[in-house]
Amino acid sequence: MKITVIGCGTTGNEIIPLLQGELTLIDRDIVEEKNLARQRLFSKKNLGKPKAEVLGKKFSCSYFIEDLDSETISILNADLIIDCTDNLETRFLINEYCKKKNISWIYTAVVANRGRVMAITGDFCFRCIFSEVKGLETCSTTGVDLKVVEELAAVVQEEVENLSQRKKSRGLWANGEWIVIHRNKDCPV
């Protein structure tokens, strides 16, 4: 299975080592001193280097040092996309692209001690339950609980396995509980 992971920060650091298949990593950021405490795959020798490049070399996989936007979205050439960003605008872009191209994707989010995972396979989409909202907390503004990130990574690994077996999404995993999601008949996507 060809898997593209967008975001090589804290969540990506926990998920990427658990994945099998042909990986492609996408991230625009460089490794900074402040990342080292929670992004365990990086060390001081990686400071100033692009995160995607460091992890791409570490896991012998393809990588792009890119800001994912409407101009670069076509680099999402995969069977499965895993979102490890903390950016709603990017998530809406991924959602629309994957819906158009009929590509499954997994939304992940961790803010403070709250975690979310949702495999999106076509029965519903990201916009069915999330609207565009500005000013929300992000991992950059609030931080993350590493125990929640570890738990979330294990859930993502299970969802990847389920999707590889062509199973349907289990819905939205939120803080350890599964919530059934249905398509929103008013969804614009």
Side-chain angles (χ1 to χ4, degrees), residues 16-87:
I16 292 165
L18 302 177
L19 300 174
Q20 295 181 355
E22 184 182 333
L23 295 181
T24 299
L25 309 178
I26 302 171
D27 199 306
R28 67 179 181 207
D29 293 336
I30 60 168
V31 179
E32 299 177 73
E33 183 84 36
K34 67 182 182 180
N35 303 140
L36 299 181
R38 64 185 190 281
Q39 297 175 14
R40 304 174 206 189
L41 297 176
F42 300 128
S43 67
K44 285 189 181 263
K45 70 179 183 177
N46 303 131
L47 291 175
K49 294 180 182 173
K51 292 178 180 182
E53 179 181 348
V54 171
L55 297 185
K57 289 179 178 178
K58 184 179 205 80
F59 292 99
S60 301
C61 63
S62 302
Y63 61 89
F64 292 95
I65 305 162
E66 290 285 346
D67 184 13
L68 196 65
D69 58 27
S70 59
E71 306 265 325
T72 60
I73 191 79
S74 63
I75 62 177
L76 297 182
N77 181 20
D79 303 310
L80 176 64
I81 310 298
I82 301 176
D83 156 51
C84 297
T85 69
D86 68 348
N87 182 312

Side-chain angles (χ1 to χ4, degrees), residues 116-135:
R116 309 265 188 281
V117 173
M118 183 170 62
I120 301 167
T121 60
D123 298 332
F124 54 84
C125 76
F126 186 74
R127 198 175 284 276
C128 284
I129 59 170
F130 294 102
S131 60
E132 293 188 56
V133 179
K134 302 281 186 206

